[in-house]
Amino acid sequence: MTLFQLVKVALDALYEEASHKYGKGVDNEIVSRFSYLTTSYKDLSNNGRNPLNYKDPATRFAYVYKYVASHGDYIVQLLRIVREELGAVFKDKTARVTCIGGGPGSDILAVLKYLSDYSSEEPVAKVVCYLLDKEQAWADTWTELDDKLDLSRINLNVNFQPLDVTEPDSWASQRKFLEADLFTLSYFVSEVYALDEGVVGKFWATLFEEAKPGALFLYDDNGTEVFNNYFDQHWNAAGLELLKGSTNTQLTPSSSEQASELAMYKDKFGENPKLKSLLSYRILRKET
Ligand SMILES: C[S@@+](CC[C@H](N)C(=O)[O-])C[C@H]1O[C@@H](n2cnc3c(N)ncnc32)[C@H](O)[C@@H]1O
């Protein structure tokens, strides 16, 4: 299955949820949420801004439609780079993955897509995934993923955990997520940068200090220097090793990814899923 095909399954469920809430007005609500997201993302570096709110099903529909497949595809491309650098990304039968700000599903879909593309070259038989996100409403979208995917070879265990990086009480007592082999931070740093009054910095320090030796971190974000510089400062202070990085690279989804899978919704809303993007990434490793 392509990422767009998987996204279509999630969108159908979200459209139903939004229709239940808004009845005949659902399409207008969704159209207004596309604008809400676009406008809010232009303002991410503004320290006075309000946090984005993804609770409403119309907003979650708009996010998944517009961003999940392309963000997932970028992560697949980063995993391929890891493979070129290190060989197999996962060294054991059980792969532990933690997706920070992973509620919308892009990150876990990417890991599963990568594992299905390289099924004979990665030793993984089981994936244990922690989706950490402050928005509980995302939980329903992806926790029954294994029913929706044809995962003949892989046993999948997805755990959604509410966690707000600006609230230390929400992460101080959670430990399991720190045991991951791979951490993903996809379009997450930009979302919390302006909310960091020191506490988010403590989250990064805890994360990098308590992750296990050899753990990999994938950061990718919208290219803006202010977010890259902020994140570079934090991983540098923790002494992580940069395996590969790039700033403002133009990325396009892989040729197998066809946005036409979502044609029905494109006709309805006149909105295209995001495809090309300027992206910055860092592939990092904690010393063994
Ligand atoms: C732009 S989305 C990125 C989602 C996904 N990783 C991707 O690449 O498509 C940012 C995510 O971070 C979550 N988020 C925002 N602020 C957060 C916080 N303070 N703590 C934890 N999650 C947060 C949002 O709920 C949202 O799911």
Side-chain angles (χ1 to χ4, degrees), residues 41 54 63 71 101 104 106-107 133-135 138 163-166 186-188 191-192:
Y41 291 149
Y54 296 93
Y63 186 86
H71 288 188
S106 329
D107 318 41
D133 204 290
K134 80 165 188 187
E135 182 46 72
W138 287 119
L163 180 149
D164 182 340
V165 295
T166 68
S186 164
Y187 290 82
F188 177 69
E191 186 116 352
V192 294

Side-chain angles (χ1 to χ4, degrees), residues 218-229:
L218 301 187
Y219 157 88
D220 66 320
D221 220 306
N222 61 24
T224 311
E225 275 299 300
V226 71
F227 307 129
N228 297 332
N229 292 342

Side-chain angles (χ1 to χ4, degrees), residues 2-288:
T2 66
L3 290 165
F4 278 109
Q5 285 168 329
L6 293 169
V7 162
K8 169 77 170 50
V9 175
L11 282 177
D12 291 346
L14 281 169
Y15 189 74
E16 206 178 305
E17 194 184 334
S19 302
H20 187 69
K21 179 163 180 188
Y22 292 110
K24 289 200 173 108
V26 62
D27 292 353
N28 287 340
E29 274 302 326
I30 289 174
V31 168
S32 77
R33 304 313 164 108
F34 285 125
S35 311
Y36 166 69
L37 291 175
T38 311
T39 312
S40 306
Y41 291 149
K42 285 188 185 138
D43 196 35
L44 285 174
S45 59
N46 174 0
N47 287 323
R49 72 173 171 87
N50 289 322
L52 268 94
N53 187 338
Y54 296 93
K55 189 169 285 311
D56 192 281
T59 311
R60 281 181 284 125
F61 179 97
Y63 186 86
V64 173
Y65 174 82
K66 185 117 187 153
Y67 300 104
V68 166
S70 55
H71 288 188
D73 188 79
Y74 304 153
I75 298 171
V76 173
Q77 296 192 43
L78 296 190
L79 288 166
R80 287 199 199 116
I81 296 175
V82 176
R83 210 184 144 69
E84 280 162 20
E85 295 289 310
L86 300 179
V89 173
F90 300 101
K91 306 297 180 205
D92 299 319
K93 276 189 169 171
T94 299
R96 295 185 172 275
V97 181
T98 290
C99 308
I100 303 176
S106 329
D107 318 41
I108 178 61
L109 289 184
V111 170
L112 295 172
K113 171 90 169 76
Y114 169 82
L115 285 173
S116 106
D117 290 353
Y118 290 90
S119 58
S120 54
E121 287 140 282
E122 297 273 343
V124 178
K126 178 173 182 181
V127 176
V128 178
C129 177
Y130 286 90
L131 297 182
L132 309 181
D133 204 290
K134 80 165 188 187
E135 182 46 72
Q136 172 78 40
W138 287 119
D140 285 356
T141 314
W142 302 109
T143 36
E144 286 173 31
L145 247 189
D146 42 349
D147 289 348
K148 293 168 193 149
L149 294 172
D150 176 19
L151 292 172
S152 44
R153 209 179 57 86
I154 290 179
N155 177 350
L156 177 65
N157 174 352
V158 180
N159 306 280
F160 181 90
Q161 295 201 340
L163 180 149
D164 182 340
V165 295
T166 68
E167 296 286 342
D169 286 351
S170 77
W171 44 269
S173 57
Q174 301 196 46
R175 312 288 316 157
K176 274 280 177 200
F177 78 88
L178 292 163
E179 292 171 14
D181 306 298
L182 174 75
F183 294 85
T184 60
L185 299 155
S186 164
Y187 290 82
F188 177 69
V189 170
S190 54
E191 186 116 352
V192 294
Y193 159 83
L195 312 176
D196 190 0
E197 292 172 348
V199 173
V200 184
K202 286 197 181 123
F203 176 80
W204 302 128
T206 305
L207 174 70
F208 297 144
E209 194 178 315
E210 304 207 9
K212 68 184 184 189
L216 292 168
F217 297 85
L218 301 187
Y219 157 88
D220 66 320
D221 220 306
N222 61 24
T224 311
E225 275 299 300
V226 71
F227 307 129
N228 297 332
N229 292 342
Y230 162 85
F231 188 62
D232 287 345
Q233 255 178 356
H234 284 288
W235 66 258
N236 267 309
L240 298 187
E241 175 193 4
L242 178 67
L243 290 175
K244 196 129 189 184
S246 178
T247 296
N248 282 338
T249 308
Q250 183 81 50
L251 273 200
T252 24
S254 325
S255 53
S256 63
E257 288 298 334
Q258 296 292 338
S260 55
E261 297 293 339
L262 307 186
M264 170 189 145
Y265 291 121
K266 181 172 183 290
D267 293 347
K268 212 185 236 314
F269 301 117
E271 185 83 28
N272 283 309
K274 172 173 151 183
L275 290 173
K276 271 193 200 165
S277 181
L278 271 187
L279 179 105
S280 294
Y281 70 84
R282 308 284 185 261
I283 299 173
L284 305 161
R285 181 167 57 181
K286 181 162 173 174
E287 260 184 22
T288 46

